[in-house]
Amino acid sequence: MENSNHTSNFIRNIIVEDLKEGRVNEIITRFPPEPNGYLHIGHAKSICLNFELAKEFKGRANLRFDDTNPIKEDQEYVDSIKQDVEWLGFTWDELNFASNYFEEMYNRAIVLINKGKAFVCDLNAEQIRETRGTLTEPGQNSPYRDRTVEENLELFDRMRKGEFGNGEKVLRAKIDMLSPNINLRDPVIYRVSHTPHHNTGDQWCIYPMYAFAHPIEDAIEGITHSICTLEFEDQRPFYDWVVAETEMEKVPHQYEFARLNLTNTVMSKRKLKQLVDEGVVDGWDDPRMPTISGLRRRGFTPESIRTFCREIGVTKSNGTIDSKYLDYFIREDLKLKAPRTMGILKPLKVVITNYPEGEVEWLDAEINPEVPEMGLRQIPFSRELYIEQDDFMENPPNKYFRLFPGNEVRLKHAYFIKCNDFVKDEAGNVVEIHCTYDQETKSGSGFTGRKVKGTIHWVEATHAVPAEFRLYEPLILDEAEEAEGEGSFLDHLNPNSIVTEQGFVEPNMKDVQPQDKFQFFRHGYFNADSKYTKDGNIVFNLIVSLKSSFELPKS
Ligand code: ATP
Ligand code: MG
């Protein structure tokens, strides 16, 4: 990983100051996912930020599963999150589970009760909502607010012992129902939920609320800079209140940054889960998904995602990034890494009528012209080839420089060929074209006799290896975000998000391995699908096409 590439941002500036002023000796950050889904590219932004800051300042970064809500959490998600963070190139210092701190959280709640700063409340969820007030109206005190410390201790103990049903009682912080910040109006900090937990089993039937648990988790781990997204800005006063009133020894500080939004992309675990559960996609790692595992299967590299996250920067204002920006970085990354090759997506048979029958010659082709050290590959040439259907037209428009009757083109790495004739089937489709080649025009021979305007790609037919190509467009149409609220985002699925073609690739591709990446001449970058490339089957996912109207903004 590059070290010189640290883009400055406001959180980094705070850290520099904190270290300089001696407010902290070592910075400790954490990435705290809830294991209720797979990670997405938005999470990658947070992962990169937390881990790269820790690395740059020789501090530490923890991976912590924020697993305080037993209902939605699952071991499958825990495993996938670990895999994704590692794949992105990061190593955590500590691997923690918030649920391991349940006992300590319980004890800290008792500290609050003993100080008269928390009380057991019998109002139900709806009554609590109704008495909370609004932005313009104050809240009302709960009738249970003045319970004695002894009574609260006893009731809280009975809550833990399972004497109450779900929702029957809660523990609330006792702060100020008149506070202009609604989060300080006696928020609920513990609830009863008779639900087994993926880590603690049935040890607990009361669970802490996120807003209470999170600051305690940070304080226990000695997190110095607790970085979260902007929605939590209004929670910061409560975060500080919890750390102070529960008398945590170490005092973490929360900093908020703008979450990542991408055009044509849903970025909420709930919606992504819906796509999976309703079978709209082929699992969490469907190549169209913005999940880390989906991007991996699509063919994105960790480097491209890290560079993207670094370049979009860290700000305090929400905005939406063009998803073409991510495409730009994968092109940049693969340009020098990916071998070049040729593949035919929609085959049309070509017969070279003046090439001897039964003969095959092997031609040299550069593996990557931008990296000569990558060497050469050998590709066969013979009397029968495949080209793209689009590279022949019976009646071409002006400025069509590819094959048509009487026209000559260059076959990449091979010879000039000229079209003389073609064959149609009963339905009128061209099924075969007949050409002649000119031996003198062999690629690399220095031939300068005449020029042609078109260069097309091809694959020799008798050695060609069948392959499937999967071409992708965004899963979600652009209007989906605007239509939020009216109906479901599922009404805005792009019907062309996947198009499949059965084609051919060069013979040296027969041993292609899952996740191998190539630049197919004139088509784009493709990745061998990790799920379906097996048992002699080859499936290529389009990562990104070669060209884009997108230009990197000048900075
Ligand atoms: P979602 O809304 O997709 O379910 P979440 O915020 O509920 O995401 P968590 O597992 O709580 O998911 O997120 C873990 C961390 O990742 C949090 O610190 C959160 O702020 C951060 N994060 C989540 N989504 C984004 C995003 N789009 N951009 C930047 N950071 C994000
Ligand atoms: Mg969350």
Side-chain angles (χ1 to χ4, degrees):
M1 227 176 295
E2 305 89 318
N3 272 324
S4 55
N5 245 336
H6 298 298
T7 350
S8 192
N9 64 60
F10 76 96
I11 295 176
R12 186 176 178 276
N13 294 342
I14 289 168
I15 291 174
V16 169
E17 278 299 301
D18 285 349
L19 288 166
K20 198 170 92 188
E21 300 296 323
R23 282 190 286 267
V24 295
N25 299 320
E26 181 191 29
I27 77 149
I28 309 179
T29 61
R30 87 287 174 263
F31 172 65
E34 186 179 355
N36 61 349
Y38 281 57
L39 297 181
H40 54 59
I41 179 81
H43 293 114
K45 180 176 174 180
S46 175
I47 294 169
C48 289
L49 184 61
N50 280 294
F51 282 89
E52 287 180 357
L53 284 171
K55 186 169 180 173
E56 180 186 359
F57 294 101
K58 304 203 165 31
R60 287 183 277 157
N62 296 346
L63 174 59
R64 180 204 311 146
F65 289 99
D66 216 321
D67 57 351
T68 52
N69 179 4
I71 293 179
K72 296 185 263 167
E73 296 160 3
D74 201 279
Q75 186 62 36
E76 176 194 353
Y77 301 136
V78 170
D79 296 339
S80 76
I81 290 169
K82 281 157 68 175
Q83 185 190 5
D84 289 348
V85 173
E86 284 181 326
W87 179 77
L88 280 172
F90 299 109
T91 314
W92 49 83
D93 284 278
E94 291 174 18
L95 177 67
N96 295 320
F97 289 85
S99 54
N100 287 342
Y101 310 141
F102 280 165
E103 191 65 41
E104 166 123 29
M105 290 173 189
Y106 178 83
N107 291 331
R108 297 288 166 167
I110 294 201
V111 170
L112 292 182
I113 295 175
N114 277 321
K115 292 163 82 174
K117 303 264 177 171
F119 65 100
V120 173
C121 184
D122 299 4
L123 296 183
N124 63 32
E126 200 186 322
Q127 291 166 321
I128 290 176
R129 207 175 312 120
E130 279 167 2
T131 52
R132 195 170 44 197
T134 63
L135 284 174
T136 50
E137 287 167 54
Q140 300 154 33
N141 283 350
S142 159
Y144 305 98
R145 200 172 195 261
D146 295 321
R147 277 179 165 151
T148 63
V149 169
E150 291 66 35
E151 203 180 346
N152 282 321
L153 286 173
E154 190 212 320
L155 287 171
F156 191 46
D157 181 54
R158 289 173 57 198
M159 279 169 68
R160 178 181 185 163
K161 287 184 174 139
E163 293 185 24
F164 305 110
N166 292 351
E168 225 179 290
K169 285 195 168 31
V170 292
L171 184 71
R172 295 175 71 175
K174 189 169 174 179
I175 311 179
D176 180 7
M177 291 307 286
L178 305 180
S179 172
N181 184 332
I182 295 179
N183 299 302
L184 296 179
R185 295 182 188 168
D186 296 1
V188 173
I189 58 179
Y190 261 92
R191 66 194 194 288
V192 176
S193 176
H194 292 269
T195 314
H197 186 278
H198 79 101
N199 183 26
T200 56
D202 49 16
Q203 202 182 331
W204 292 89
C205 62
I206 55 171
Y207 292 96
M209 302 300 287
Y210 175 86
F212 174 71
H214 204 85
I216 295 180
E217 296 159 23
D218 284 344
I220 291 172
E221 293 176 18
I223 303 301
T224 54
H225 297 78
S226 175
I227 304 169
C228 64
T229 44
L230 279 179
E231 318 85 85
F232 293 97
E233 199 166 11
D234 292 343
Q235 287 281 5
R236 191 175 350 122
F238 184 61
Y239 181 101
D240 292 339
W241 185 94
V242 171
V243 173
E245 297 296 345
T246 61
E247 300 174 14
M248 301 302 296
E249 295 76 48
K250 294 179 182 155
V251 180
H253 290 280
Q254 175 183 304
Y255 302 93
E256 308 89 15
F257 71 102
R259 64 193 293 119
L260 170 66
N261 299 305
L262 279 181
T263 53
N264 302 85
T265 308
V266 289
M267 200 100 79
S268 124
K269 274 184 280 191
R270 185 179 55 80
K271 289 183 183 169
L272 295 174
K273 186 166 188 310
Q274 207 178 335
L275 290 169
V276 174
D277 290 345
E278 299 191 16
V280 175
V281 294
D282 179 27
W284 283 96
D285 66 347
D286 184 293
R288 294 165 294 176
M289 292 280 270
T291 50
I292 307 292
S293 52
L295 292 166
R296 174 166 63 234
R297 195 169 144 201
R298 177 83 172 255
F300 283 82
T301 58
E303 292 80 1
S304 65
I305 295 174
R306 290 200 305 261
T307 312
F308 168 77
C309 290
R310 196 178 301 132
E311 294 296 321
I312 54 177
V314 180
T315 66
K316 272 238 169 227
S317 56
N318 279 313
T320 300
I321 305 276
D322 194 328
S323 43
K324 294 198 178 85
Y325 204 50
L326 182 57
D327 295 344
Y328 171 86
F329 290 108
I330 185 65
R331 271 192 210 99
E332 283 297 296
D333 188 35
L334 291 181
K335 197 161 67 182
L336 302 182
K337 289 182 188 166
R340 306 299 196 256
T341 189
M342 296 194 287
I344 301 297
L345 276 57
K346 293 184 191 171
L348 173 63
K349 176 72 84 59
V350 176
V351 179
I352 310 290
T353 52
N354 61 341
Y355 199 87
E357 243 166 286
E359 199 166 296
V360 177
E361 66 183 296
W362 291 81
L363 304 170
D364 285 337
E366 287 157 310
I367 290 175
N368 187 334
E370 298 191 44
V371 190
E373 309 86 272
M374 286 172 82
L376 299 173
R377 68 188 194 274
Q378 275 69 46
I379 49 178
F381 184 84
S382 81
R383 189 179 158 88
E384 290 193 2
L385 319 172
Y386 292 116
I387 63 166
E388 297 289 348
Q389 288 168 14
D390 288 350
D391 285 337
F392 172 81
M393 282 186 92
E394 184 182 351
N395 298 301
N398 271 346
K399 304 219 167 127
Y400 183 87
F401 299 122
R402 294 171 263 168
L403 282 175
F404 52 87
N407 196 41
E408 190 173 44
V409 298
R410 177 196 305 276
L411 290 181
K412 180 76 175 170
H413 301 303
Y415 300 96
F416 289 9
I417 60 168
K418 184 175 177 180
C419 175
N420 305 306
D421 200 4
F422 56 89
V423 181
K424 284 185 175 177
D425 64 10
E426 280 167 12
N429 302 311
V430 176
V431 289
E432 187 174 295
I433 65 172
H434 294 164
C435 297
T436 44
Y437 87 115
D438 179 351
Q439 211 171 351
E440 301 211 336
T441 59
K442 186 170 176 176
S443 176
S445 69
F447 175 78
T448 54
R450 61 185 184 280
K451 289 203 160 77
V452 288
K453 283 200 165 139
T455 299
I456 65 172
H457 60 281
W458 55 280
V459 169
E460 196 273 332
T462 60
H463 291 73
V465 174
E468 180 172 311
F469 291 88
R470 298 184 175 187
L471 309 177
Y472 299 108
E473 283 185 15
L475 192 55
I476 307 291
L477 296 168
D478 227 353
E479 314 91 80
E481 290 306 314
E482 285 119 66
E484 194 90 39
E486 315 157 21
S488 162
F489 74 103
L490 294 176
D491 300 338
H492 299 269
L493 294 177
N494 178 356
N496 302 317
S497 64
I498 178 167
V499 171
T500 299
E501 304 287 358
Q502 304 296 335
F504 294 102
V505 293
E506 296 178 13
N508 51 39
M509 289 286 212
K510 72 176 189 308
D511 297 322
V512 75
Q513 296 300 307
Q515 296 296 109
D516 283 351
K517 295 163 185 60
F518 298 90
Q519 188 202 96
F520 281 90
F521 184 61
R522 294 173 72 214
H523 282 303
Y525 292 98
F526 284 80
N527 181 48
D529 188 88
S530 53
K531 187 165 168 186
Y532 298 114
T533 302
K534 60 174 179 200
D535 307 329
N537 236 15
I538 301 177
V539 174
F540 280 112
N541 293 318
L542 173 67
I543 310 170
V544 65
S545 64
L546 284 181
K547 284 202 200 80
S548 152
S549 52
F550 183 76
E551 292 281 329
L552 193 62
K554 299 254 178 337
S555 54

